[in-house]
Every structure is written in C-alpha cells, then in structure tokens.
Amino acid sequence: ERWIGRPVEVLVEGPARSPAGHGYGRADDFKDVIFSTPAGVIPGRGSLVAVDVTGATSHTLLGRMRVAR
C-alpha cells in the first residue's frame, strides 16, 4: 500500500502477458510493473516511462503511464 499514489520511473521490457494493451517493465528497485498505456500503444523496449502506481501485489506494482503534456 505504501506505493499507491506514487510515481515511479519504469524501464520498459515489452508488452505484458496480460491484460492485453498493457506494458511490462521494472522500477529502479527491480520491482515488476504492469501499466496501462494511452490507446494501448506500448513504448519500445529500453524506454523509460513515468508510471503512477494505482495498485500493488506482493511482487508487482500496477499503474497507469503518465502522458506527456
């Protein structure tokens, strides 16, 4: 719960196995992160993206990719 509401920087590794249209990567502390993306467009492998954490399990953070404005 301490992660919920925090922004994290994520190194993108590719699409998540599920759900469809989500990306997968790792935070700087090596936690797995699954994140939704605008219009289901997943950034390329090796990209750094900002993700707002909306949920967490014991090993994985769940979130929403921030959109540049």
Side-chain angles (χ1 to χ4, degrees):
E1 288 185 12
R2 69 184 183 112
W3 289 98
I4 296 173
R6 292 185 182 189
V8 294
E9 187 172 58
V10 175
L11 178 64
V12 177
E13 293 190 6
R17 282 184 250 163
S18 69
H22 285 62
Y24 167 78
R26 295 194 184 262
D28 58 3
D29 64 352
F30 301 105
K31 278 206 171 285
D32 292 336
V33 182
I34 295 175
F35 56 93
S36 62
T37 61
V41 178
I42 299 164
R45 182 181 175 102
S47 300
L48 288 173
V49 298
V51 173
D52 291 318
V53 178
T54 58
T57 68
S58 57
H59 299 287
T60 305
L61 300 176
L62 309 169
R64 201 173 19 238
M65 189 174 93
R66 285 186 172 184
V67 178
R69 295 181 191 240

